[in-house]
Amino acid sequence: NLSHELRTPLNVLTSINQLIKNLCKKEVFITPEKLSYYMDIMDRNTSRLLNLINNLIDNSKIENNSYVLTKKDEDIVYLVEETVLDMKDYIEEKGIELIFDTDVEEKTVRCDKTEIERCIINLVGNAVKFTSEGGLIEVTIKDLDDKVKISVKDSGIGISEENKRLIFDRFNQVVDKSAELKGGSGLGLTISKQLITLHGGDIYVESEVGVGSEFIIILPVNND
Ligand code: ADP
């Protein structure tokens, strides 16, 4: 699956390169629209490759215990809300409604801001990928005193019992052929789980096929 994931975007990039070269050789005029269309495809595939390689490197570092978190006291409510709001336009452009709700206004958690952001982006990004137009994504924060619960719930396609056990494992994406079409490295949840574990927390999923999925992160307030 990994070689496939690496090869696909590279093949796309090579094909487009070849195509443009041929047009140039034949001195065929390329309209700016056509050119920007090709550039967009190249952009998407470069990002996909970069994302995959970054995830692979981080995954190896975490497995070798050489990944260092930079923990500080952060207001988790502000952190999650800002991250989710940054994705609001992207979510609504897909015709999906976004609701953010919290039962506390402020809550300090010792954590690596960038890495928690990354987990939220992964979860919300997945929720968008697997929810159709007209659907709903709800992000909620609940204060559990010495812990905090962050939930990302969608009304998407859901996950079968069998796949629930597999999705936090490396290159799990192979379990779902339709997911392959949607792009992704099959590493997002693996890295998210590793990062949450490094914070002394837990991440799990509750889901029903055809109804939706809820990914839940439990983070301890103090985890040094
Ligand atoms: P990818 O980068 O391929 O999305 P992830 O590790 O983030 O990899 O997710 C692994 C797989 O878990 C996905 O390919 C998909 O099959 C399933 N999955 C993740 N999130 C959801 C969701 N919100 N709804 C349905 N399926 C999901």
Side-chain angles (χ1 to χ4, degrees):
N1 194 39
L2 172 63
S3 48
H4 171 80
E5 284 301 322
L6 285 168
R7 214 177 279 140
T8 310
L10 277 173
N11 278 339
V12 175
L13 289 169
T14 316
S15 312
I16 296 206
N17 184 291
Q18 202 58 46
L19 194 135
I20 296 178
K21 262 188 177 164
N22 282 341
L23 291 174
C24 288
K25 210 157 91 189
K26 289 187 205 149
E27 294 186 15
V28 176
F29 177 75
I30 314 170
T31 62
E33 291 80 34
K34 201 83 198 160
L35 199 58
S36 101
Y37 167 76
Y38 290 139
M39 298 299 280
D40 283 347
I41 301 178
M42 290 174 85
D43 249 7
R44 272 204 303 280
N45 282 277
T46 313
S47 313
R48 198 174 150 190
L49 211 52
L50 195 65
N51 186 32
L52 172 60
I53 290 167
N54 283 337
N55 277 342
L56 267 177
I57 294 172
D58 289 346
N59 177 253
S60 315
K61 278 193 193 158
I62 296 173
E63 281 183 354
N64 294 330
N65 296 321
S66 60
Y67 203 76
V68 186
L69 293 180
T70 315
K71 289 187 201 166
K72 288 199 183 112
D73 284 341
E74 306 284 354
D75 175 8
I76 194 78
V77 180
Y78 179 77
L79 201 163
V80 174
E81 186 169 12
E82 284 299 298
T83 311
V84 172
L85 287 183
D86 280 348
M87 299 176 81
K88 193 178 166 71
D89 287 348
Y90 164 68
I91 298 169
E92 289 179 350
E93 256 170 38
K94 305 253 174 192
I96 300 169
E97 190 190 348
L98 171 72
I99 294 177
F100 175 81
D101 193 24
T102 173
D103 70 355
V104 266
E105 263 185 40
E106 218 181 276
K107 176 98 182 163
T108 307
V109 168
R110 190 122 188 108
C111 66
D112 187 321
K113 183 174 181 267
T114 317
E115 303 303 9
I116 297 299
E117 256 172 29
R118 187 173 178 186
C119 296
I120 302 296
I121 293 172
N122 274 339
L123 295 187
V124 176
N126 277 344
V128 175
K129 261 201 282 188
F130 298 103
T131 303
S132 20
E133 212 179 321
L136 171 69
I137 297 175
E138 282 176 272
V139 180
T140 50
I141 300 181
K142 206 169 177 342
D143 187 1
L144 305 176
D145 291 330
D146 59 341
K147 292 180 190 133
V148 66
K149 175 179 170 184
I150 306 161
S151 150
V152 178
K153 189 175 176 183
D154 65 58
S155 62
I157 61 170
I159 303 164
S160 69
E161 282 305 318
E162 189 198 343
N163 288 352
K164 266 185 221 170
R165 283 194 296 273
L166 300 170
I167 52 168
F168 292 102
D169 291 334
R170 216 172 153 187
F171 308 125
N172 39 29
Q173 188 203 46
V174 80
V175 301
D176 185 347
K177 278 285 159 202
S178 81
E180 202 178 36
L181 300 173
K182 294 175 197 287
S185 62
L187 266 173
L189 288 176
T190 310
I191 302 250
S192 298
K193 181 159 186 130
Q194 288 171 326
L195 290 170
I196 297 299
T197 308
L198 282 180
H199 279 87
D202 194 15
I203 179 170
Y204 57 94
V205 65
E206 284 169 4
S207 180
E208 202 180 317
V209 174
V211 179
S213 310
E214 180 175 14
F215 282 84
I216 295 154
I217 295 177
I218 306 285
L219 263 188
V221 166
N222 237 314
N223 57 80
D224 277 331

